[in-house]
Amino acid sequence: MAKKVITFGEVMMRLSPPGYSKFSQATSFELVYGGGEANVAISLAYLGIKAAHVTRFPDNALGRAATQFLRQHWLSTEHVFYGGNMLGKYFLEKGAVHRPSEVIYEREGSSFSLIEPSMVNWAHVLKDADWFHWTGITPAISEGAKMCCLDAIKTANHMGIPVSGDINSRSNMWKYGETMQEVMPELVQNCDIVITSRRGIQEMFGLGESGGKFRNSAKLLMETFPKIKKVVGKTRKSISASHQQIQGKMWNGQEYIKTEMLNITHVIDRVGTGDAFASGLIYGLLHYDDDIQALNFASAACALKHTVPGDVNMVSLENVVSLMHGDTSGAIKR
């Protein structure tokens, strides 16, 4: 029977100049929808997981279009709520070779930012769920989003549902009066799986040293928050905007493991690659007994997302397993 995963977070409209044009060259924009947690849910749906995303949209044509996007990609939208007037959006100028990508956000006052804990019955939402996933972006958006996320995590804990948090946050998003250093410990202490970086652990929790090793920072994080079972991250080597290398790594409380480096020589779209890694990790941990297999699956999913335009990793289980087992040929499947 297919596993069921619930995610929670904002979905935004993404607007990009065609191809690799700069904003100054644009006379039109390509439109897709995306958001870290929804990206994870959709990627999992393409892998055969039953997935539902919890969010809030404006009750207008744009909100309905965003809802249809989620449905189109096999997500349950029974827990999409409506209210407010604005759909969050961001503008992406895609980089190439030595020119980096650039992102401009317009999300302040969005429908999702005005969400309140009383709007979501988490015991109902999480009924029959096998996993709950959140990211560090959500509690940074607003007080209401933070409290909603905390309620979800605590309810999942009470119901015995594993919780994963991808907690690499952006410090410049915290504008409602609390800092990530004040908020994140209460959320993270109730997680089973944490996806982060050495730098993230130091910035959010004051653990580890600048220039230190990921495994040492991961050990300190697990000692500080004993409920955490695994701390997972990835090494990214950026040769250029068009050429990246990816390696997964994990401290599971007993050993430090890492994958082989995957070489991505022709990046199509880097946005959403971290979400692809998270979705691959969740799938791997739900289906493999061996942590290294789960980590290899996550790294393969992440690498494949670099080849897919848009926010979401719309690749099949067969694609990921093939790359996981070493097939880098990209040969035509007939």
Side-chain angles (χ1 to χ4, degrees), residues 100-164:
S101 297
E102 182 176 346
V103 174
I104 299 171
Y105 289 100
E106 289 185 2
R107 65 198 306 176
E108 191 171 349
S110 68
S111 292
F112 182 83
S113 72
L114 302 177
I115 198 168
E116 297 292 339
S118 61
M119 297 176 183
V120 187
N121 180 342
W122 284 108
H124 174 67
V125 170
L126 293 168
K127 183 179 65 174
D128 301 326
D130 296 290
W131 199 282
F132 174 72
H133 178 74
W134 63 283
T135 80
I137 292 174
T138 295
I141 291 171
S142 67
E143 172 77 17
K146 177 202 76 173
M147 293 306 299
C148 233
C149 193
L150 181 60
D151 281 357
I153 293 168
K154 288 186 173 181
T155 303
N157 288 169
H158 180 72
M159 297 172 72
I161 299 166
V163 175
S164 58

Side-chain angles (χ1 to χ4, degrees), residues 260-325:
E260 297 294 323
M261 189 74 77
L262 284 170
N263 196 34
I264 307 143
T265 56
H266 296 79
V267 174
I268 303 300
D269 197 330
R270 180 176 157 178
V271 175
T273 56
D275 306 322
F277 182 84
S279 66
L281 180 69
I282 293 167
Y283 184 94
L285 292 174
L286 283 171
H287 290 86
Y288 296 107
D289 294 327
D290 189 341
D291 283 344
I292 189 61
Q293 286 186 293
L295 195 60
N296 277 323
F297 191 95
S299 296
C302 177
L304 286 168
K305 170 60 191 75
H306 290 75
T307 71
V308 180
D311 264 46
V312 183
N313 198 25
M314 300 175 190
V315 298
S316 69
L317 178 60
E318 180 187 8
N319 290 155
V320 182
V321 170
S322 179
L323 180 56
M324 174 187 172
H325 290 156

Side-chain angles (χ1 to χ4, degrees), residues 17-18 20-26 93-94 99 102:
Y20 294 91
S21 297
K22 291 181 62 62
F23 289 135
S24 57
Q25 297 174 292
E93 180 184 279
K94 285 183 281 187
R99 175 168 61 86
E102 182 176 346

